Amino acid sequence: MADVFMHTYHRLPVIFVKGEGAWLTDTAGKRYLDFTAGIAVNCLGHGYPPLVKALSEQAAKLIHTCNYYQSDAAAAFAEKLVAACSGAGMRRVFLGNSGAEANEGACKIARKYSFKKYGSGRHRIVTLKGSFHGRTITTLAATGQDQFHRNFGPFTEGFLYLPPGDVEALDRALDPASVCGFMFEPVQGESGILPQDEAYMKTAARLCAGRDILLIADEIQTGVGRTGTFLACEGCGIQPDIVTLAKGLAGGIPVGAVLAGEKAGEVFETGDHGSTFGGNALAAAAGLVVLETVTAPAFLAEIRRKGEKILGTLRSWNHPKIGDIRGRGLMIGVDLSVDAWPVLEAALAGTPGLLALSAGQKTLRFLPPYIIGDAEIDQGLELLRNCL
Ligand SMILES: *Cc1c(COP(=O)(O)O)cnc(C)c1O
């Protein structure tokens, strides 16, 4: 293990050298079934042939031009992405490299929209407790968890955190004199796969629309088919003003996107924002393969079916160490009566190994690649049962 990295991650004792489909191989040749997809990133699994082909061909043709020029790959990707999000009302896109960068862009759009229309003082952005919006100083400030607000202050001002689901608190907090945006995850990912109540989201959308506050859906983990519709918002019948995407968007190549609809699509003007790498030709070529694959209705139906299969199997066990089981599509949380970390370590140590994630101390989180097969699902769940 290389010991020159900063100690930012609680890393498990394994070094991977190769991936194929839903499987990874380590330096000793041992195989691991992947229920993490690199935290919802490798959504088409490892070594997906059309993705490998598109990347190889694009790398040989053109990897990058700065954003003062358009590449044919970026143009095709951006058009397809806006079309995929048009059902949720999206009209324009800005491409960056990560989720945090996308959320930074969303905050800038919300603030400028309000500043231009109403002048200063209306800069607040309301977010939810338990949320996760990124690791930059501003997106940490947006993240409604105290544990992230140590050591790095002073943070960007103007964020306010509400308990999810509390309509009265929301009604009070969405003050049109001081608030320009409300940012939320349709399903909170990092804090335990916690779906927002649908009626609550609809109320939030109505309140925001009535007060000209921009509704920002952070779909960085829930988007790109993860919950069984291309955007989770679509599944809940919500039309946000801004949507942010990253993680699965290019199947493992870094790309992030902030999309905006009618209201906010023209807010950014020349010189307002930029990103050197954002949406370069290589990332766009990868993103195009993901979009071509994941937007197909039959493919999305399979994500929903596989998710239901996992939920159904877990529930059928009536396992004494398993509490609540919940999820949308292939985004699944399993509450345990014991700590999740030792279970993950045991799963890794098994033969074959199983890779899964935690979300909070006692919740297991499964984000398998969409291409996982039924037999692999059964095998992975059986490996999990042995560890429990
Ligand atoms: C992962 C994640 C982010 C941050 O994305 P990065 O690419 O790590 O910057 C933001 N919001 C949500 C909901 C996420 O899951």
Side-chain angles (χ1 to χ4, degrees), residues 39-41 97-103 131-136 139 143 184-190 218-222 244-247 255-256 331 365:
I39 316 192
V41 168
N97 306 290
S98 70
E101 194 185 347
N103 282 342
S131 59
F132 181 81
H133 296 300
R135 296 284 195 162
T136 62
T139 56
T143 293
F184 71 102
E185 296 158 83
V187 181
Q188 289 188 344
E190 299 303 312
D218 177 345
E219 294 238 23
I220 289 163
Q221 195 161 150
T222 55
T244 55
L245 296 172
K247 290 205 162 86
V255 75
M331 183 172 184
R365 175 169 48 149

Side-chain angles (χ1 to χ4, degrees), residues 324-359:
D324 191 41
I325 301 163
R326 58 195 169 268
R328 298 265 192 286
L330 285 171
M331 183 172 184
I332 289 165
V334 182
D335 288 345
L336 302 179
S337 60
V338 295
D339 280 358
W341 196 255
V343 177
L344 297 181
E345 284 177 322
L348 183 86
T351 307
L354 173 70
L355 306 177
L357 297 159
S358 60

Side-chain angles (χ1 to χ4, degrees), residues 197-237:
D197 179 58
E198 236 176 89
Y200 177 76
M201 286 190 283
K202 287 193 167 134
T203 306
R206 185 173 48 75
L207 291 175
C208 284
R211 299 170 192 187
D212 204 14
I213 290 168
L214 297 186
L215 186 69
I216 306 168
D218 177 345
E219 294 238 23
I220 289 163
Q221 195 161 150
T222 55
V224 197
R226 182 51 60 182
T227 67
T229 47
F230 187 74
L231 297 177
C233 278
E234 276 176 274
C236 317

Side-chain angles (χ1 to χ4, degrees), residues 10 18 93 176 217 235-236 248 273 336 343:
H10 186 160
K18 187 174 145 51
V93 65
C236 317
H273 201 48
L336 302 179
V343 177

Side-chain angles (χ1 to χ4, degrees), residues 18-23 41-56 248 250-252 285-296 299 306 369-372:
K18 187 174 145 51
E20 200 181 357
W23 292 88
V41 168
N42 310 101
C43 60
L44 302 177
H46 305 278
Y48 187 67
L51 184 59
V52 173
K53 181 167 180 281
L55 277 170
S56 315
L288 201 53
V289 173
V290 170
L291 293 180
E292 277 164 357
T293 312
V294 171
T295 53
F299 193 86
K306 289 172 189 176
Y370 305 155
I371 50 81
I372 195 165

